[in-house]
């Protein structure tokens, strides 16, 4: 069971390596990078095959929460191993695990926060669910559907378009706000503010 003092683990999903950095599939890494900046920390390598930064989110005092922000160094479809190892190492209840990921079935930039559910064909979620079960939080960042007959794999492994990049920083910032709200204010309040 999770209590207020239990730490939170925020896992930004993506693929490691410079060639993937701007891909739609790596928006979870982008949000994790911004959260690390807000925590005032730098990512460090962890034995769980991930980069991590630790800190506190929320107003100083009783409402602040201990948070570990992570970027798995495995590829997307193997995210479950590092996530589970970090959960075990930091003693994080599954209900305090948050996966931040790209979502095809939501318009670009729209957000949906939820607890539990299916993986909707997302290989990163599939891997985490196989390792942890389904009862973790998800912050779903809309990337929209591929145009025409473009295969999904090609679409998610392409960089955001120039039109999307003009708004991307704003939407990544909003997603980081949503993660903070989820952790500090709770799921219902965060959903009512950020679900679009």
């Amino acid at each position: 069971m999770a209590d207020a003092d239990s730490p939170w683990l925020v896992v930004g999903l993506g693929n490691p390596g410079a060639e993937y950095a701007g891909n739609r599939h790596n928006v979870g890494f982008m949000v994790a990078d911004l959260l690390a900046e807000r925590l005032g920390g730098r990512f460090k390598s962890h034995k769980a095959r991930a980069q991590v930064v630790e800190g506190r989110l929320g107003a100083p005092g009783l409402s602040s929460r201990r948070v570990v922000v992570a970027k798995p160094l495995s590829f997307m479809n193997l995210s479950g191993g590092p996530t589970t190892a970090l959960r075990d190492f930091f003693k994080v209840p599954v209900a305090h695990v948050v996966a931040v990921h790209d979502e095809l079935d939501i318009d670009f930039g729209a957000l949906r926060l939820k607890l539990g559910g299916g993986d909707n064909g997302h290989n990163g979620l599939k891997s985490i669910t196989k390792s942890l079960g389904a009862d973790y939080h998800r912050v779903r960042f809309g990337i929209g559907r591929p145009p025409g007959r473009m295969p999904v794999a090609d679409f998610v492994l392409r960089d955001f378009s120039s039109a999307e990049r003009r708004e991307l920083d704003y939407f990544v910032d909003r997603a980081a706000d949503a993660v903070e709200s989820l952790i500090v204010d709770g799921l219902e309040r965060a959903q009512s503010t950020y679900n679009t």
Side-chain angles (χ1 to χ4, degrees), residues 69-109:
V69 177
K71 297 192 296 185
L73 294 175
S74 62
F75 281 92
M76 177 73 83
N77 59 348
L78 300 172
S79 300
T83 301
T84 302
L86 290 168
R87 190 274 321 257
D88 293 346
F89 182 86
F90 290 103
K91 298 178 173 47
V92 177
V94 173
H96 279 195
V97 174
V98 182
V100 184
H101 64 92
D102 57 303
E103 178 61 61
L104 286 162
D105 288 335
I106 303 173
D107 290 341
F108 170 68

Side-chain angles (χ1 to χ4, degrees), residues 32-99:
D33 286 339
L34 181 54
L35 286 168
E37 205 176 290
R38 290 181 182 186
L39 289 170
R42 297 175 68 119
F43 281 104
K44 296 183 176 120
S45 291
H46 192 277
K47 64 182 180 181
R49 289 180 304 132
Q51 291 184 314
V52 300
V53 61
E54 297 178 68
R56 297 190 81 82
L57 287 175
L62 293 175
S63 67
S64 84
R65 301 284 180 258
R66 184 171 157 231
V67 178
V68 177
V69 177
K71 297 192 296 185
L73 294 175
S74 62
F75 281 92
M76 177 73 83
N77 59 348
L78 300 172
S79 300
T83 301
T84 302
L86 290 168
R87 190 274 321 257
D88 293 346
F89 182 86
F90 290 103
K91 298 178 173 47
V92 177
V94 173
H96 279 195
V97 174
V98 182

Side-chain angles (χ1 to χ4, degrees), residues 6-187:
S6 298
W8 286 78
L9 172 62
V10 179
V11 182
L13 297 185
N15 287 310
E19 68 271 33
Y20 299 106
N23 289 179
R24 291 180 177 92
H25 223 18
N26 272 42
V27 75
F29 274 17
M30 296 172 197
V31 175
D33 286 339
L34 181 54
L35 286 168
E37 205 176 290
R38 290 181 182 186
L39 289 170
R42 297 175 68 119
F43 281 104
K44 296 183 176 120
S45 291
H46 192 277
K47 64 182 180 181
R49 289 180 304 132
Q51 291 184 314
V52 300
V53 61
E54 297 178 68
R56 297 190 81 82
L57 287 175
L62 293 175
S63 67
S64 84
R65 301 284 180 258
R66 184 171 157 231
V67 178
V68 177
V69 177
K71 297 192 296 185
L73 294 175
S74 62
F75 281 92
M76 177 73 83
N77 59 348
L78 300 172
S79 300
T83 301
T84 302
L86 290 168
R87 190 274 321 257
D88 293 346
F89 182 86
F90 290 103
K91 298 178 173 47
V92 177
V94 173
H96 279 195
V97 174
V98 182
V100 184
H101 64 92
D102 57 303
E103 178 61 61
L104 286 162
D105 288 335
I106 303 173
D107 290 341
F108 170 68
L111 295 174
R112 299 272 196 292
L113 286 73
K114 70 177 197 168
L115 174 63
D119 56 55
N120 205 21
H122 192 289
N123 289 329
L125 295 182
K126 201 175 287 184
S127 178
I128 293 173
T129 298
K130 188 175 176 188
S131 296
L132 288 185
D135 295 329
Y136 57 93
H137 288 88
R138 298 101 193 277
V139 174
R140 304 158 71 205
F141 187 111
I143 60 168
R145 300 293 304 178
R149 295 173 180 255
M150 181 189 290
V152 166
D154 291 348
F155 180 69
V156 299
L157 293 175
R158 283 212 175 140
D159 287 359
F160 286 98
S161 70
S162 55
E164 289 169 333
R165 279 198 302 272
R166 283 195 285 274
E167 298 181 293
L168 186 59
D169 287 348
Y170 168 78
F171 288 131
V172 167
D173 191 68
R174 194 165 185 277
D177 289 346
V179 172
E180 284 199 49
S181 178
L182 167 63
I183 291 169
V184 175
D185 304 321
L187 179 62

